[in-house]
Amino acid sequence: MPLALDLLADILVNSTFDPAELERERQVILQEIGQAYDTPDDIIFDHFQERAYPDQAMGRPVLGSPEIIRRLSREAVTAYLRDHYGAARMVLSAAGNLDHDRIVDLADRLLGGIPRDKAVAGEPARYLGGEFREERDLEQLHLVLGFPGPALGDPDYYAAAVLSTAFGGGMSSRLFQEVREKRGLAYTIHSFTHGYRDGGLFGIYAGTGEDEAAELVPVLCDETRRLADGFAPVELGRAKAQMKAGLLMSLESTSARCEQMAQHMLIHGTPFDPAEIVRRIEAVDDAAIARIVASWRGAPPTLAALGPVGGLEGFEQVRARLGA
């Protein structure tokens, strides 16, 4: 453990950013961007995020664009590290067979000299919505339809998570049963919620054939509008049980515990408490679900489609079906 922490600290504090190594890594990232572009069920989420948050930081892909990567200088990389990776934004998390006091002493010796980061103001996220569609010669149409969602600190964040699980979070969910099992319109379909500090997204992903695309979107719109009627108690109970089981099973992994603690400290500033999260999941009721669905009214949806898009109806027609 001391050797591992020393290595991590050395990488963080004493990296030289050798120009030859940076150039080698630049080529690796360019290949990674190319790989993402060749993976339509991956890159579609970048297009979705870009249309939800156009012309702003939240809408830009994490990997960056090839143009930016090619011209990124060593000075830009070191300046970013200096400005953003300071002590005030760092959390050291460990889980497993450890001695807490020993880790604290090592952290003080190895990381105690890291200065505080500069007060760099981030650009607030502004959900705008819109449409992206790209015709590409693929066997499947990859589609994401979504709406604004709650931020991580929003009291209704867990309501959105329960809604997502009940709506499209597994083989017993509404979307899976209606779209795949009953109608055979998609091989893959699920819903998701992404929370950020200053906003969030709720979305539905589907991978479908070209012939099924025209029928799929109206069904998705109908099922989305039907959420205003709420869920049956058995649906909510099943979704909550699924979420709690996933959370509690993750506690069996020390690496998962380590990541959960670090993320919770970075986002909320408090220790990770599984019992509190279970209580919040249990507290989700019909009124909380209704608030999430009501928050979509009046907001334009976001639609991203990649593949044989010719059978899709226009964006304004989709908006009309959703009542947006």
Side-chain angles (χ1 to χ4, degrees):
M1 187 274 294
L3 176 60
L5 189 54
D6 182 64
L7 285 170
L8 290 174
D10 195 33
I11 291 170
L12 178 65
V13 178
N14 300 315
S15 285
T16 60
F17 294 100
D18 179 84
E21 293 295 333
L22 271 179
E23 189 57 38
R24 185 176 294 113
E25 186 62 27
R26 188 194 313 275
Q27 298 308 313
V28 171
I29 295 172
L30 288 172
Q31 292 177 32
E32 189 175 1
I33 293 173
Q35 182 185 38
Y37 182 81
D38 288 342
T39 312
D41 57 340
D42 183 1
I43 200 68
I44 189 64
F45 289 95
D46 281 357
H47 295 311
F48 172 72
Q49 187 93 5
E50 183 180 12
R51 292 317 307 154
Y53 299 103
D55 303 318
Q56 52 187 297
M58 187 62 81
R60 297 176 192 134
V62 173
L63 281 173
S65 68
E67 295 77 21
I68 291 176
I69 298 301
R70 289 190 182 100
R71 69 170 183 262
L72 203 62
S73 67
R74 178 181 182 277
E75 291 70 26
V77 174
T78 56
Y80 189 88
L81 177 68
R82 182 181 64 250
D83 293 344
H84 293 270
Y85 286 69
R89 296 190 182 193
M90 283 188 192
V91 169
L92 174 61
S93 177
N97 182 15
L98 54 84
D99 182 324
H100 175 79
D101 293 336
R102 189 182 187 196
I103 288 183
V104 172
D105 291 340
L106 283 167
D108 184 55
R109 176 168 62 84
L110 297 170
L111 301 170
I114 296 178
R116 294 180 64 88
D117 50 282
K118 292 184 179 179
V120 180
E123 179 185 0
R126 295 171 289 106
Y127 176 88
L128 296 176
E131 178 193 32
F132 168 90
R133 60 177 72 195
E134 178 183 323
E135 178 72 35
R136 201 190 287 188
D137 185 16
L138 299 172
E139 291 296 322
Q140 275 200 317
L141 171 72
H142 300 270
L143 181 142
V144 182
L145 175 66
F147 313 90
L152 285 168
D154 191 294
D156 282 335
Y157 173 75
Y158 285 98
V162 171
L163 188 158
S164 177
T165 302
F167 191 42
M171 290 187 291
S172 61
S173 67
R174 275 193 188 179
L175 286 178
F176 193 94
Q177 288 297 314
E178 181 67 24
V179 175
R180 173 173 162 154
E181 296 299 286
K182 180 179 177 180
R183 299 175 183 261
L185 293 177
Y187 176 73
T188 303
I189 185 161
H190 68 265
S191 60
F192 60 89
T193 181
H194 291 165
Y196 313 110
R197 290 182 186 273
D198 52 359
L201 290 171
F202 184 96
I204 304 162
Y205 165 79
T208 189
E210 182 177 4
D211 295 337
E212 291 76 21
E215 185 181 351
L216 173 65
V217 172
V219 172
L220 293 182
C221 293
D222 290 344
E223 289 300 313
T224 300
R225 294 193 68 172
R226 198 160 70 88
L227 289 174
D229 300 328
F231 291 101
V234 66
E235 291 180 288
L236 278 187
R238 189 165 52 225
K240 291 178 181 181
Q242 183 177 333
M243 291 179 64
K244 290 184 292 183
L247 171 67
L248 298 176
M249 288 173 65
S250 73
L251 300 180
E252 298 296 320
S253 164
T254 51
S255 61
R257 279 183 175 241
C258 188
E259 291 180 11
Q260 288 165 339
M261 290 190 298
Q263 290 172 357
H264 213 267
M265 287 298 297
L266 282 171
I267 294 165
H268 301 288
T270 58
F272 173 69
D273 183 357
E276 174 61 23
I277 294 177
V278 168
R279 285 192 291 270
R280 293 189 180 191
I281 292 172
E282 286 285 7
V284 173
D285 55 15
D286 293 337
I289 297 292
R291 285 194 298 271
I292 296 297
V293 177
S295 71
W296 302 340
R297 298 193 191 110
T302 301
L303 177 66
L306 180 64
V309 299
L312 286 181
E313 60 189 20
F315 184 60
E316 291 306 318
Q317 289 177 282
V318 176
R319 289 190 63 169
R321 287 185 184 278
L322 292 166

